[in-house]
Amino acid sequence: MKKAVCYTDIHYPVGNVDDKMFSSFTEHLGRCIYSGIYEPGHPLADEDGFRTDVMDLVKELKVPVIRYPGGNFVSCYDWHDGIGPKENRPKRMEYAWTSIETNEFGIDEFCRWARKVGVEPMIAVNLGTGSIKDAGDLVEYCNHPGGTYWSDLRIKNGSKEPYNIKYWCLGNEMEGAWQAGHLSAEDYAKKALEAAKIMKWVDPSISLIACGSSYDMLPSYLEWDRVMLKSLYDQVDYLSTHNYTLNPGQGVSNYLASWKQMDEHIKNSVKVLDYVQAQGKKKKEIKICLDEWNVWNFQDIKLDSLADLNGMTTFEITSAGKWEIAPPILQEKYSLLDAVVLGGLGISLLNNCDHVEIACLAQLINVIAPITTVKGGGSFRQATFYPFELLSRYGRGKAIRPAMETETFQSIYGEANLVQTAVIYDEKADEVHVFAINCDEKEDVELALQLQGFGDRKLVKHLAVYGDNLEEINTIEEPDRIVTREIDVTDAGKAVLPKASFNVLILK
Ligand code: AHR
């Protein structure tokens, strides 16, 4: 059997994993909100029309923060449409996903739902087609206690107490021509700066997240961040970037090596942050908010080439027609292989926790999501639910730097470890959690654990996402084909990682 060793010493930490590391994202897109979160009349809906089965699944994932209302949607959205009596709310053409938005669900419903599921909202403002005044008014509506037009309107609409929303995104993916109201880096910097000023005047306690760049196929990749950060560095708290992982279709091992691409993506953002910080002699350090990440294989999006994203000219969604209400779009069916890959991406998040403070799995329900619902029917956990749940449950604490002795292989992302790990010391539970991906699609690998400075530790539990058929998916009829499985521990210091698997090893 192939062998690997993970050496780790408690004296070499990466940093503390912020509690917001395994957050998520919900957008007015497809069936994420309508018949996902909200389905009045559903047998399991509560008095607000919120599906309680979905709330229970969200609680299982223990996500601390949820970003809302978009995504590309936000750049076309007027938040005023979603407040007040539902019968007065307008139906609008929603340009980003060519759907009809009924506005039955808006900021008040979202904050109410978030409170019920015990998560903190992170709100994106529209800096595409929206104005800086709209952004300031939304902060006033949400966070001002009362005695002003917008705060009194919130009270009239049923929320006496302010929502005190701390995290605010200054737009979404403003670098891309597919964004309604797309701006150049210079124009975005000007608009975002003015919005930031107003928003902080209304509530100085808020934290602001600036749009960085996300797509390396755009010529503006990273240059956008440099230009934007030169103006905004002192005003903002986080740099946003997005990273979607696509099966490159060049073999299973290449796909399993995607954790390497995620690692590089994060490090690229760090490089530009470091440059602007050093060049401007700034003391302040800006953290990364990776507010959209996931595996996304574009199962129903037809792109002739990635260049089509520049204007969405031939961008076609094959799963629904145009201008439908909550159409079933972007409902990816995740395989076991996708789940293992997602676990690997989580390993890279943990190994970069000194820079990434917030990361949002995009998205949460029905749309490229770990949770799927049937309209009027049941719900189930997609394969990707399981690695994300493991990361969220065991990925909290202090990340310790691992040094791997392992075979490597040539991947399209460069030379990659066959076994890659992240190590967490959970001080509260006094446990060590070793996350490991085995990128060998054909063979199991034995992983030995060499821990220094943790005291006497024994491997007590081995949880893994693996199986014989990497193409397997969960369905509403057979929801448990892929679950987290427990593997018997036979040795206190080593474990056998099944071929193409994502693992958590718990040491006490
Ligand atoms: O999450 C789906 C879409 O991906 C979001 O709307 C957008 O921000 C990104 O391109």
Side-chain angles (χ1 to χ4, degrees), residues 25 27 29 67 70-73 96-97 172-173 178-179 215 242 244 292 296 330 362-363 367-368:
F25 169 44
E27 176 168 5
L29 195 180
R67 181 170 175 251
N72 297 343
F73 170 82
W97 303 102
N172 175 72
E173 289 186 0
W178 58 88
Q179 207 66 213
Y215 298 95
H242 297 169
Y244 286 105
E292 291 185 29
W296 181 8
L330 275 61
Q363 300 190 6
V367 172
I368 42 174

Side-chain angles (χ1 to χ4, degrees), residues 243-305:
N243 192 45
Y244 286 105
T245 300
L246 193 102
N247 186 342
Q250 295 179 47
V252 172
S253 315
N254 275 317
Y255 190 25
L256 287 169
S258 298
W259 55 267
K260 219 176 144 55
Q261 182 277 331
M262 171 69 108
D263 187 66
E264 191 181 305
H265 182 87
I266 295 168
K267 290 193 163 66
N268 285 346
S269 296
V270 173
K271 284 174 190 160
V272 74
L273 277 168
D274 283 351
Y275 169 79
V276 179
Q277 185 192 29
Q279 210 265 340
K281 299 188 175 61
K282 313 269 186 200
K283 292 234 159 23
K284 173 177 155 186
E285 200 191 325
I286 290 186
K287 298 285 183 185
I288 292 174
C289 174
L290 188 71
D291 46 26
E292 291 185 29
W293 71 275
N294 204 346
V295 170
W296 181 8
N297 282 313
F298 280 45
Q299 289 170 356
D300 63 348
I301 288 189
K302 240 175 92 189
L303 276 178
D304 291 338
S305 82

Side-chain angles (χ1 to χ4, degrees), residues 314-381:
T314 54
F315 185 107
E316 193 189 330
I317 301 177
T318 54
S319 51
K322 284 186 193 269
W323 313 121
E324 292 175 16
I325 295 174
I329 58 175
L330 275 61
Q331 298 200 174
E332 300 271 301
K333 294 181 178 63
Y334 285 113
S335 67
L336 171 59
L337 177 59
D338 296 323
V340 175
V341 169
L342 186 140
L345 302 177
I347 286 177
S348 290
L349 290 181
L350 292 172
N351 284 331
N352 285 285
C353 73
D354 46 342
H355 296 290
V356 179
E357 202 169 280
I358 312 177
C360 303
L361 182 76
Q363 300 190 6
L364 187 57
I365 306 148
N366 289 329
V367 172
I368 42 174
I371 298 170
T372 298
T373 70
V374 174
K375 195 173 175 185
S379 45
F380 67 96
R381 299 166 188 80

